[in-house]
Amino acid sequence: MANVSITVNGKLRTADVEPRLLLVHFLREQLNLTGTHVGCDTSQCGACTVLVDGRSAKSCTIFAVQADGSEVTTIEGLAAGDGQLHPLQDGFWEEHGLQCGYCTPGMIMSAVDLLNNNPSPSEREIREGLDGNFCRCTGYQHIVNAVQHAANKG
Amino acid sequence: MIPSAFEYERATSVDDALAKLAATGATGKFIAGGHSLVPLMKFRLNEPTTLIDIARIPGLAGVRDVDGAIEVGAGTVHHDVATSSLLRQQCPVVAETAGTIGDPQVRNRGTLGGSLAHADPAADYPAVMLAVDAEIHLRSSRGPRVVPASDFFQDLFTVDLAPDEIITAVRFAPVRAAAYAKLYQRASRFAIVGVAAALDVADGVIRSARVGLTGAVSHAVRLTAVEEALAGRQPTSEVVAEAAQLAGSDLEDVAGDIHASETYRRAMVPVFAKRALDGALARLPQR
């Protein structure tokens, strides 16, 4: 076992974990943060995307021990906590950026990284920024609209 | 998918990493971003007894100028290569190639050294390392070793890297007149065919050209027939179009898979060689 200390959504979480425990399972099963989804489990679909030290990352392809000492932000950590949605969550709500919702947390976390690097992306830049996230329902157009909505409000 | 159990250690320096690896008796592996290794471990295609985490070794990441050459630390993630202002200004082909790897999340974690050590036959970096004639800098307890990129890639997932060695950096002379052209595998973003081309032009004549190919055969190779056809010629689109026709004609064992048949790959090698060479031409100073 290995001891890890990871700041998740602003709160320091300490645990003894097997080194082979994936970050996504640490989040979902040990911290009960089930907003981060497991999709393909092969680093392609992006459903498990979280921010590690401010950068988007696929938590199915990171061992929790690698994130020791890091700051992790999940979908649960985005809203301010006063009932106010994060601008991207609001954008997905307003622009109908989801149907089944499975990909949505990962889409939003990727979009957070995108807008951090590029607050006013073009449509093409949004599509490139979401290259690592698959959606099997929407055909992506409303997701792009949702990110534009958030960018315009930011 | 759950990998086999392993021990985990974090290295604080390159020497510490080498010592920790030696202590595993060659059953351990280094991990940096883990974006080649972790998927293999999840499929249990690779079952190291110990992972030695080199991601936070000071100085192993970063892009720097070393006496006019550019050195990229092996631990540099693709995103930081893609956005390096030094590379964008002096050797944009390397930054642009990094920007085509995978997707943003993969580029935030995957590292140059990891990609080179893994040597996936469809990885992007090997082609551009050949085109810029990079030196691969290695270390072991026996000391440092430098291998030219043209000798480094040997076969499928096989490179000139001993079990007790670590890649510390790559170094190359910056070249502006260079470009990378890639036929994407649409889902994974690996290269079905990728060609990196660099031109050395003086007094209106191509003194030499270096053209690296990835994706088509077991490991990245230089397209020497194209390079020879360009040497001594004028840098025009007609000349590169003619030379690009030779690309891949002498290759044996071109890959065929569900993404592209051998015939299709063979047809695409000259197409993307021409695009890479045109891209390099476009970067020559206007006369």
Side-chain angles (χ1 to χ4, degrees), chain B residues 121-169:
Chain B
D124 299 291
Y125 273 135
V128 76
M129 290 297 120
L130 291 172
V132 301
D133 203 17
E135 295 175 340
I136 318 293
H137 288 237
L138 314 173
R139 276 265 296 282
S140 73
S141 59
R142 289 163 283 136
R145 189 163 73 96
V146 176
V147 180
S150 50
D151 293 339
F152 188 71
F153 306 103
Q154 295 180 327
D155 205 342
L156 190 71
F157 300 111
T158 305
V159 294
D160 183 6
L161 177 71
D164 64 344
E165 281 180 315
I166 187 171
I167 304 174
T168 55

mmCIF file of all heavy atoms in Angstrom, chain B residues 121-169:
data_model
loop_
_atom_site.group_PDB
_atom_site.id
_atom_site.type_symbol
_atom_site.label_atom_id
_atom_site.label_comp_id
_atom_site.label_asym_id
_atom_site.label_seq_id
_atom_site.Cartn_x
_atom_site.Cartn_y
_atom_site.Cartn_z
ATOM 1 N N PRO B 121 4.942 2.199 -33.658
ATOM 2 C CA PRO B 121 5.231 2.385 -35.089
ATOM 3 C C PRO B 121 4.432 3.526 -35.723
ATOM 4 O O PRO B 121 4.789 3.995 -36.807
ATOM 5 C CB PRO B 121 4.845 1.035 -35.707
ATOM 6 C CG PRO B 121 3.960 0.373 -34.709
ATOM 7 C CD PRO B 121 4.408 0.866 -33.363
ATOM 8 N N ALA B 122 3.371 3.972 -35.057
ATOM 9 C CA ALA B 122 2.560 5.063 -35.600
ATOM 10 C C ALA B 122 2.704 6.350 -34.798
ATOM 11 O O ALA B 122 1.910 7.274 -34.950
ATOM 12 C CB ALA B 122 1.097 4.644 -35.655
ATOM 13 N N ALA B 123 3.717 6.428 -33.931
ATOM 14 C CA ALA B 123 3.931 7.647 -33.151
ATOM 15 C C ALA B 123 4.462 8.762 -34.047
ATOM 16 O O ALA B 123 5.109 8.501 -35.056
ATOM 17 C CB ALA B 123 4.911 7.362 -32.012
ATOM 18 N N ASP B 124 4.203 9.995 -33.660
ATOM 19 C CA ASP B 124 4.579 11.139 -34.494
ATOM 20 C C ASP B 124 6.023 11.591 -34.285
ATOM 21 O O ASP B 124 6.717 11.941 -35.240
ATOM 22 C CB ASP B 124 3.651 12.321 -34.187
ATOM 23 C CG ASP B 124 2.211 11.983 -34.480
ATOM 24 O OD1 ASP B 124 1.880 11.830 -35.669
ATOM 25 O OD2 ASP B 124 1.410 11.853 -33.532
ATOM 26 N N TYR B 125 6.442 11.631 -33.008
ATOM 27 C CA TYR B 125 7.771 12.184 -32.715
ATOM 28 C C TYR B 125 8.916 11.536 -33.506
ATOM 29 O O TYR B 125 9.839 12.238 -33.943
ATOM 30 C CB TYR B 125 8.091 12.076 -31.232
ATOM 31 C CG TYR B 125 7.617 13.223 -30.368
ATOM 32 C CD1 TYR B 125 7.000 12.989 -29.151
ATOM 33 C CD2 TYR B 125 7.824 14.550 -30.748
ATOM 34 C CE1 TYR B 125 6.584 14.021 -28.333
ATOM 35 C CE2 TYR B 125 7.414 15.589 -29.937
ATOM 36 C CZ TYR B 125 6.792 15.332 -28.725
ATOM 37 O OH TYR B 125 6.403 16.354 -27.922
ATOM 38 N N PRO B 126 8.923 10.191 -33.666
ATOM 39 C CA PRO B 126 10.090 9.610 -34.342
ATOM 40 C C PRO B 126 10.357 10.220 -35.727
ATOM 41 O O PRO B 126 11.515 10.459 -36.091
ATOM 42 C CB PRO B 126 9.727 8.122 -34.429
ATOM 43 C CG PRO B 126 8.880 7.894 -33.217
ATOM 44 C CD PRO B 126 8.043 9.145 -33.109
ATOM 45 N N ALA B 127 9.303 10.496 -36.490
ATOM 46 C CA ALA B 127 9.516 11.057 -37.830
ATOM 47 C C ALA B 127 10.215 12.414 -37.753
ATOM 48 O O ALA B 127 11.156 12.695 -38.505
ATOM 49 C CB ALA B 127 8.184 11.188 -38.567
ATOM 50 N N VAL B 128 9.758 13.242 -36.825
ATOM 51 C CA VAL B 128 10.343 14.585 -36.749
ATOM 52 C C VAL B 128 11.740 14.542 -36.126
ATOM 53 O O VAL B 128 12.616 15.341 -36.488
ATOM 54 C CB VAL B 128 9.393 15.560 -36.018
ATOM 55 C CG1 VAL B 128 9.397 15.340 -34.524
ATOM 56 C CG2 VAL B 128 9.737 16.999 -36.341
ATOM 57 N N MET B 129 11.984 13.595 -35.237
ATOM 58 C CA MET B 129 13.342 13.460 -34.688
ATOM 59 C C MET B 129 14.333 13.106 -35.801
ATOM 60 O O MET B 129 15.468 13.586 -35.818
ATOM 61 C CB MET B 129 13.373 12.384 -33.595
ATOM 62 C CG MET B 129 12.646 12.757 -32.317
ATOM 63 S SD MET B 129 13.363 14.188 -31.484
ATOM 64 C CE MET B 129 11.987 15.318 -31.480
ATOM 65 N N LEU B 130 13.881 12.280 -36.744
ATOM 66 C CA LEU B 130 14.733 11.956 -37.896
ATOM 67 C C LEU B 130 14.944 13.188 -38.769
ATOM 68 O O LEU B 130 16.051 13.451 -39.244
ATOM 69 C CB LEU B 130 14.100 10.830 -38.718
ATOM 70 C CG LEU B 130 14.070 9.450 -38.049
ATOM 71 C CD1 LEU B 130 13.242 8.477 -38.880
ATOM 72 C CD2 LEU B 130 15.488 8.915 -37.861
ATOM 73 N N ALA B 131 13.876 13.957 -38.977
ATOM 74 C CA ALA B 131 13.981 15.114 -39.878
ATOM 75 C C ALA B 131 14.888 16.199 -39.318
ATOM 76 O O ALA B 131 15.589 16.874 -40.078
ATOM 77 C CB ALA B 131 12.589 15.668 -40.182
ATOM 78 N N VAL B 132 14.859 16.401 -38.003
ATOM 79 C CA VAL B 132 15.735 17.438 -37.432
ATOM 80 C C VAL B 132 17.086 16.851 -37.011
ATOM 81 O O VAL B 132 17.920 17.566 -36.461
ATOM 82 C CB VAL B 132 15.082 18.195 -36.245
ATOM 83 C CG1 VAL B 132 13.791 18.868 -36.684
ATOM 84 C CG2 VAL B 132 14.857 17.288 -35.049
ATOM 85 N N ASP B 133 17.282 15.565 -37.286
ATOM 86 C CA ASP B 133 18.558 14.908 -37.001
ATOM 87 C C ASP B 133 18.918 15.046 -35.519
ATOM 88 O O ASP B 133 20.036 15.426 -35.158
ATOM 89 C CB ASP B 133 19.673 15.519 -37.876
ATOM 90 C CG ASP B 133 20.844 14.563 -38.066
ATOM 91 O OD1 ASP B 133 20.667 13.361 -37.815
ATOM 92 O OD2 ASP B 133 21.927 15.035 -38.453
ATOM 93 N N ALA B 134 17.948 14.715 -34.674
ATOM 94 C CA ALA B 134 18.131 14.913 -33.231
ATOM 95 C C ALA B 134 19.129 13.916 -32.667
ATOM 96 O O ALA B 134 19.277 12.800 -33.159
ATOM 97 C CB ALA B 134 16.789 14.757 -32.517
ATOM 98 N N GLU B 135 19.789 14.359 -31.607
ATOM 99 C CA GLU B 135 20.581 13.452 -30.774
ATOM 100 C C GLU B 135 19.699 13.030 -29.614
ATOM 101 O O GLU B 135 19.070 13.866 -28.968
ATOM 102 C CB GLU B 135 21.782 14.184 -30.157
ATOM 103 C CG GLU B 135 22.808 14.685 -31.119
ATOM 104 C CD GLU B 135 23.874 15.506 -30.361
ATOM 105 O OE1 GLU B 135 23.609 15.973 -29.233
ATOM 106 O OE2 GLU B 135 24.965 15.661 -30.934
ATOM 107 N N ILE B 136 19.678 11.731 -29.315
ATOM 108 C CA ILE B 136 18.946 11.241 -28.150
ATOM 109 C C ILE B 136 19.961 11.063 -27.027
ATOM 110 O O ILE B 136 20.932 10.301 -27.181
ATOM 111 C CB ILE B 136 18.241 9.892 -28.443
ATOM 112 C CG1 ILE B 136 17.588 9.885 -29.837
ATOM 113 C CG2 ILE B 136 17.240 9.550 -27.341
ATOM 114 C CD1 ILE B 136 16.434 10.788 -30.036
ATOM 115 N N HIS B 137 19.776 11.788 -25.948
ATOM 116 C CA HIS B 137 20.727 11.749 -24.831
ATOM 117 C C HIS B 137 20.244 10.764 -23.772
ATOM 118 O O HIS B 137 19.123 10.865 -23.289
ATOM 119 C CB HIS B 137 20.876 13.150 -24.223
ATOM 120 C CG HIS B 137 21.634 14.086 -25.105
ATOM 121 N ND1 HIS B 137 22.762 14.738 -24.713
ATOM 122 C CD2 HIS B 137 21.422 14.464 -26.389
ATOM 123 C CE1 HIS B 137 23.232 15.486 -25.720
ATOM 124 N NE2 HIS B 137 22.422 15.336 -26.742
ATOM 125 N N LEU B 138 21.121 9.815 -23.440
ATOM 126 C CA LEU B 138 20.785 8.749 -22.507
ATOM 127 C C LEU B 138 21.736 8.793 -21.315
ATOM 128 O O LEU B 138 22.843 9.330 -21.414
ATOM 129 C CB LEU B 138 20.921 7.375 -23.205
ATOM 130 C CG LEU B 138 20.305 7.239 -24.600
ATOM 131 C CD1 LEU B 138 20.674 5.891 -25.200
ATOM 132 C CD2 LEU B 138 18.802 7.402 -24.530
ATOM 133 N N ARG B 139 21.304 8.196 -20.216
ATOM 134 C CA ARG B 139 22.181 8.055 -19.040
ATOM 135 C C ARG B 139 21.997 6.680 -18.449
ATOM 136 O O ARG B 139 20.907 6.112 -18.482
ATOM 137 C CB ARG B 139 21.786 9.086 -17.961
ATOM 138 C CG ARG B 139 22.383 10.463 -18.132
ATOM 139 C CD ARG B 139 23.672 10.668 -17.330
ATOM 140 N NE ARG B 139 23.486 10.584 -15.885
ATOM 141 C CZ ARG B 139 22.986 11.555 -15.153
ATOM 142 N NH1 ARG B 139 22.587 12.683 -15.702
ATOM 143 N NH2 ARG B 139 22.884 11.397 -13.843
ATOM 144 N N SER B 140 23.069 6.159 -17.891
ATOM 145 C CA SER B 140 22.999 4.943 -17.078
ATOM 146 C C SER B 140 24.073 5.077 -16.021
ATOM 147 O O SER B 140 24.809 6.074 -15.996
ATOM 148 C CB SER B 140 23.230 3.694 -17.932
ATOM 149 O OG SER B 140 24.599 3.614 -18.281
ATOM 150 N N SER B 141 24.193 4.054 -15.179
ATOM 151 C CA SER B 141 25.238 4.122 -14.152
ATOM 152 C C SER B 141 26.616 4.089 -14.793
ATOM 153 O O SER B 141 27.613 4.440 -14.172
ATOM 154 C CB SER B 141 25.069 2.952 -13.171
ATOM 155 O OG SER B 141 25.150 1.737 -13.895
ATOM 156 N N ARG B 142 26.671 3.666 -16.058
ATOM 157 C CA ARG B 142 27.956 3.648 -16.773
ATOM 158 C C ARG B 142 28.315 5.017 -17.335
ATOM 159 O O ARG B 142 29.407 5.211 -17.838
ATOM 160 C CB ARG B 142 27.889 2.619 -17.912
ATOM 161 C CG ARG B 142 27.871 1.172 -17.420
ATOM 162 C CD ARG B 142 27.394 0.210 -18.489
ATOM 163 N NE ARG B 142 25.948 0.277 -18.624
ATOM 164 C CZ ARG B 142 25.304 0.319 -19.780
ATOM 165 N NH1 ARG B 142 25.970 0.308 -20.909
ATOM 166 N NH2 ARG B 142 23.995 0.381 -19.812
ATOM 167 N N GLY B 143 27.369 5.940 -17.296
ATOM 168 C CA GLY B 143 27.639 7.284 -17.784
ATOM 169 C C GLY B 143 26.671 7.685 -18.865
ATOM 170 O O GLY B 143 25.706 6.971 -19.155
ATOM 171 N N PRO B 144 26.928 8.852 -19.498
ATOM 172 C CA PRO B 144 26.025 9.318 -20.550
ATOM 173 C C PRO B 144 26.334 8.650 -21.883
ATOM 174 O O PRO B 144 27.430 8.126 -22.106
ATOM 175 C CB PRO B 144 26.316 10.820 -20.614
ATOM 176 C CG PRO B 144 27.724 10.963 -20.132
ATOM 177 C CD PRO B 144 27.980 9.822 -19.186
ATOM 178 N N ARG B 145 25.342 8.641 -22.762
ATOM 179 C CA ARG B 145 25.524 8.114 -24.107
ATOM 180 C C ARG B 145 24.626 8.927 -25.025
ATOM 181 O O ARG B 145 23.532 9.330 -24.640
ATOM 182 C CB ARG B 145 25.135 6.626 -24.147
ATOM 183 C CG ARG B 145 25.482 5.904 -25.434
ATOM 184 C CD ARG B 145 25.444 4.382 -25.230
ATOM 185 N NE ARG B 145 24.081 3.860 -25.116
ATOM 186 C CZ ARG B 145 23.391 3.348 -26.140
ATOM 187 N NH1 ARG B 145 23.933 3.291 -27.341
ATOM 188 N NH2 ARG B 145 22.169 2.889 -25.964
ATOM 189 N N VAL B 146 25.113 9.191 -26.239
ATOM 190 C CA VAL B 146 24.327 9.965 -27.208
ATOM 191 C C VAL B 146 24.132 9.109 -28.457
ATOM 192 O O VAL B 146 25.088 8.561 -29.000
ATOM 193 C CB VAL B 146 25.048 11.279 -27.575
ATOM 194 C CG1 VAL B 146 24.269 12.026 -28.658
ATOM 195 C CG2 VAL B 146 25.212 12.164 -26.339
ATOM 196 N N VAL B 147 22.878 8.976 -28.875
ATOM 197 C CA VAL B 147 22.570 8.177 -30.052
ATOM 198 C C VAL B 147 21.862 9.072 -31.073
ATOM 199 O O VAL B 147 20.883 9.736 -30.723
ATOM 200 C CB VAL B 147 21.637 6.993 -29.692
ATOM 201 C CG1 VAL B 147 21.313 6.156 -30.925
ATOM 202 C CG2 VAL B 147 22.257 6.127 -28.610
ATOM 203 N N PRO B 148 22.341 9.108 -32.315
ATOM 204 C CA PRO B 148 21.595 9.871 -33.310
ATOM 205 C C PRO B 148 20.242 9.216 -33.585
ATOM 206 O O PRO B 148 20.131 7.977 -33.561
ATOM 207 C CB PRO B 148 22.488 9.826 -34.558
ATOM 208 C CG PRO B 148 23.506 8.785 -34.318
ATOM 209 C CD PRO B 148 23.557 8.487 -32.850
ATOM 210 N N ALA B 149 19.240 10.045 -33.842
ATOM 211 C CA ALA B 149 17.889 9.512 -34.059
ATOM 212 C C ALA B 149 17.892 8.456 -35.155
ATOM 213 O O ALA B 149 17.151 7.469 -35.087
ATOM 214 C CB ALA B 149 16.929 10.653 -34.410
ATOM 215 N N SER B 150 18.757 8.651 -36.169
ATOM 216 C CA SER B 150 18.743 7.722 -37.306
ATOM 217 C C SER B 150 19.212 6.319 -36.901
ATOM 218 O O SER B 150 18.978 5.353 -37.621
ATOM 219 C CB SER B 150 19.601 8.264 -38.451
ATOM 220 O OG SER B 150 20.861 8.653 -37.978
ATOM 221 N N ASP B 151 19.881 6.204 -35.728
ATOM 222 C CA ASP B 151 20.266 4.874 -35.230
ATOM 223 C C ASP B 151 19.359 4.394 -34.097
ATOM 224 O O ASP B 151 19.467 3.245 -33.669
ATOM 225 C CB ASP B 151 21.705 4.898 -34.684
ATOM 226 C CG ASP B 151 22.722 5.134 -35.789
ATOM 227 O OD1 ASP B 151 22.390 4.878 -36.959
ATOM 228 O OD2 ASP B 151 23.829 5.601 -35.464
ATOM 229 N N PHE B 152 18.542 5.300 -33.579
ATOM 230 C CA PHE B 152 17.802 4.996 -32.343
ATOM 231 C C PHE B 152 16.630 4.052 -32.587
ATOM 232 O O PHE B 152 16.405 3.122 -31.821
ATOM 233 C CB PHE B 152 17.317 6.304 -31.706
ATOM 234 C CG PHE B 152 16.716 6.136 -30.342
ATOM 235 C CD1 PHE B 152 17.508 5.820 -29.239
ATOM 236 C CD2 PHE B 152 15.349 6.302 -30.137
ATOM 237 C CE1 PHE B 152 16.962 5.662 -27.976
ATOM 238 C CE2 PHE B 152 14.791 6.153 -28.877
ATOM 239 C CZ PHE B 152 15.600 5.840 -27.790
ATOM 240 N N PHE B 153 15.881 4.310 -33.656
ATOM 241 C CA PHE B 153 14.683 3.511 -33.918
ATOM 242 C C PHE B 153 15.093 2.277 -34.717
ATOM 243 O O PHE B 153 15.578 2.392 -35.839
ATOM 244 C CB PHE B 153 13.639 4.336 -34.662
ATOM 245 C CG PHE B 153 13.317 5.615 -33.947
ATOM 246 C CD1 PHE B 153 13.841 6.825 -34.380
ATOM 247 C CD2 PHE B 153 12.539 5.596 -32.803
ATOM 248 C CE1 PHE B 153 13.572 8.003 -33.694
ATOM 249 C CE2 PHE B 153 12.270 6.768 -32.112
ATOM 250 C CZ PHE B 153 12.782 7.973 -32.554
ATOM 251 N N GLN B 154 14.881 1.100 -34.122
ATOM 252 C CA GLN B 154 15.457 -0.106 -34.717
ATOM 253 C C GLN B 154 14.423 -1.071 -35.263
ATOM 254 O O GLN B 154 14.664 -1.736 -36.268
ATOM 255 C CB GLN B 154 16.317 -0.823 -33.676
ATOM 256 C CG GLN B 154 17.528 0.016 -33.268
ATOM 257 C CD GLN B 154 18.381 -0.680 -32.241
ATOM 258 O OE1 GLN B 154 17.879 -1.420 -31.405
ATOM 259 N NE2 GLN B 154 19.687 -0.451 -32.289
ATOM 260 N N ASP B 155 13.294 -1.179 -34.582
ATOM 261 C CA ASP B 155 12.287 -2.158 -35.019
ATOM 262 C C ASP B 155 10.993 -1.833 -34.276
ATOM 263 O O ASP B 155 10.899 -0.851 -33.546
ATOM 264 C CB ASP B 155 12.778 -3.589 -34.718
ATOM 265 C CG ASP B 155 12.122 -4.630 -35.645
ATOM 266 O OD1 ASP B 155 11.075 -4.307 -36.252
ATOM 267 O OD2 ASP B 155 12.647 -5.741 -35.742
ATOM 268 N N LEU B 156 10.025 -2.721 -34.411
ATOM 269 C CA LEU B 156 8.732 -2.532 -33.760
ATOM 270 C C LEU B 156 8.918 -2.396 -32.245
ATOM 271 O O LEU B 156 9.424 -3.320 -31.603
ATOM 272 C CB LEU B 156 7.851 -3.745 -34.076
ATOM 273 C CG LEU B 156 6.376 -3.660 -33.708
ATOM 274 C CD1 LEU B 156 5.648 -2.690 -34.626
ATOM 275 C CD2 LEU B 156 5.739 -5.031 -33.798
ATOM 276 N N PHE B 157 8.550 -1.236 -31.687
ATOM 277 C CA PHE B 157 8.698 -0.987 -30.249
ATOM 278 C C PHE B 157 10.120 -1.258 -29.763
ATOM 279 O O PHE B 157 10.317 -1.657 -28.615
ATOM 280 C CB PHE B 157 7.712 -1.848 -29.434
ATOM 281 C CG PHE B 157 6.259 -1.585 -29.753
ATOM 282 C CD1 PHE B 157 5.488 -2.539 -30.398
ATOM 283 C CD2 PHE B 157 5.666 -0.376 -29.410
ATOM 284 C CE1 PHE B 157 4.152 -2.303 -30.690
ATOM 285 C CE2 PHE B 157 4.332 -0.131 -29.694
ATOM 286 C CZ PHE B 157 3.570 -1.104 -30.338
ATOM 287 N N THR B 158 11.083 -1.110 -30.618
ATOM 288 C CA THR B 158 12.467 -1.446 -30.265
ATOM 289 C C THR B 158 13.381 -0.279 -30.619
ATOM 290 O O THR B 158 13.424 0.157 -31.770
ATOM 291 C CB THR B 158 12.925 -2.708 -31.026
ATOM 292 O OG1 THR B 158 11.994 -3.762 -30.767
ATOM 293 C CG2 THR B 158 14.311 -3.142 -30.578
ATOM 294 N N VAL B 159 14.117 0.182 -29.588
ATOM 295 C CA VAL B 159 15.034 1.301 -29.783
ATOM 296 C C VAL B 159 16.380 0.969 -29.154
ATOM 297 O O VAL B 159 16.492 0.008 -28.389
ATOM 298 C CB VAL B 159 14.475 2.603 -29.165
ATOM 299 C CG1 VAL B 159 13.219 3.049 -29.896
ATOM 300 C CG2 VAL B 159 14.198 2.426 -27.674
ATOM 301 N N ASP B 160 17.372 1.793 -29.483
ATOM 302 C CA ASP B 160 18.706 1.590 -28.926
ATOM 303 C C ASP B 160 18.760 2.191 -27.520
ATOM 304 O O ASP B 160 19.300 3.271 -27.313
ATOM 305 C CB ASP B 160 19.751 2.235 -29.847
ATOM 306 C CG ASP B 160 21.168 1.995 -29.337
ATOM 307 O OD1 ASP B 160 21.330 1.244 -28.349
ATOM 308 O OD2 ASP B 160 22.102 2.562 -29.924
ATOM 309 N N LEU B 161 18.136 1.501 -26.588
ATOM 310 C CA LEU B 161 18.058 1.955 -25.201
ATOM 311 C C LEU B 161 18.208 0.714 -24.335
ATOM 312 O O LEU B 161 17.353 -0.171 -24.365
ATOM 313 C CB LEU B 161 16.694 2.627 -24.960
ATOM 314 C CG LEU B 161 16.372 3.117 -23.559
ATOM 315 C CD1 LEU B 161 17.224 4.336 -23.210
ATOM 316 C CD2 LEU B 161 14.894 3.496 -23.454
ATOM 317 N N ALA B 162 19.313 0.646 -23.591
ATOM 318 C CA ALA B 162 19.571 -0.542 -22.766
ATOM 319 C C ALA B 162 18.596 -0.580 -21.591
ATOM 320 O O ALA B 162 18.065 0.454 -21.190
ATOM 321 C CB ALA B 162 21.009 -0.514 -22.266
ATOM 322 N N PRO B 163 18.379 -1.768 -21.026
ATOM 323 C CA PRO B 163 17.418 -1.888 -19.919
ATOM 324 C C PRO B 163 17.774 -1.021 -18.710
ATOM 325 O O PRO B 163 16.908 -0.693 -17.917
ATOM 326 C CB PRO B 163 17.485 -3.378 -19.546
ATOM 327 C CG PRO B 163 18.002 -4.059 -20.761
ATOM 328 C CD PRO B 163 18.897 -3.079 -21.444
ATOM 329 N N ASP B 164 19.050 -0.655 -18.586
ATOM 330 C CA ASP B 164 19.446 0.141 -17.416
ATOM 331 C C ASP B 164 19.645 1.614 -17.778
ATOM 332 O O ASP B 164 20.234 2.361 -17.016
ATOM 333 C CB ASP B 164 20.719 -0.438 -16.790
ATOM 334 C CG ASP B 164 21.917 -0.360 -17.729
ATOM 335 O OD1 ASP B 164 21.703 -0.148 -18.945
ATOM 336 O OD2 ASP B 164 23.054 -0.506 -17.248
ATOM 337 N N GLU B 165 19.157 2.032 -18.949
ATOM 338 C CA GLU B 165 19.342 3.421 -19.367
ATOM 339 C C GLU B 165 18.045 4.210 -19.278
ATOM 340 O O GLU B 165 16.949 3.648 -19.354
ATOM 341 C CB GLU B 165 19.850 3.473 -20.825
ATOM 342 C CG GLU B 165 21.339 3.189 -20.946
ATOM 343 C CD GLU B 165 21.809 3.243 -22.395
ATOM 344 O OE1 GLU B 165 21.121 2.674 -23.273
ATOM 345 O OE2 GLU B 165 22.863 3.835 -22.637
ATOM 346 N N ILE B 166 18.212 5.522 -19.187
ATOM 347 C CA ILE B 166 17.074 6.439 -19.187
ATOM 348 C C ILE B 166 17.331 7.500 -20.260
ATOM 349 O O ILE B 166 18.483 7.884 -20.492
ATOM 350 C CB ILE B 166 16.908 7.090 -17.788
ATOM 351 C CG1 ILE B 166 15.622 7.921 -17.714
ATOM 352 C CG2 ILE B 166 18.115 7.942 -17.412
ATOM 353 C CD1 ILE B 166 15.311 8.407 -16.292
ATOM 354 N N ILE B 167 16.287 7.919 -20.932
ATOM 355 C CA ILE B 167 16.415 9.047 -21.861
ATOM 356 C C ILE B 167 16.330 10.321 -21.028
ATOM 357 O O ILE B 167 15.394 10.484 -20.239
ATOM 358 C CB ILE B 167 15.297 9.051 -22.916
ATOM 359 C CG1 ILE B 167 15.257 7.725 -23.682
ATOM 360 C CG2 ILE B 167 15.463 10.222 -23.886
ATOM 361 C CD1 ILE B 167 14.080 7.618 -24.646
ATOM 362 N N THR B 168 17.300 11.201 -21.175
ATOM 363 C CA THR B 168 17.261 12.448 -20.409
ATOM 364 C C THR B 168 16.795 13.628 -21.250
ATOM 365 O O THR B 168 16.157 14.546 -20.732
ATOM 366 C CB THR B 168 18.637 12.781 -19.809
ATOM 367 O OG1 THR B 168 19.599 12.817 -20.872
ATOM 368 C CG2 THR B 168 19.037 11.739 -18.769
ATOM 369 N N ALA B 169 17.114 13.619 -22.553
ATOM 370 C CA ALA B 169 16.777 14.793 -23.380
ATOM 371 C C ALA B 169 16.985 14.441 -24.842
ATOM 372 O O ALA B 169 17.605 13.413 -25.176
ATOM 373 C CB ALA B 169 17.668 15.982 -23.012
#
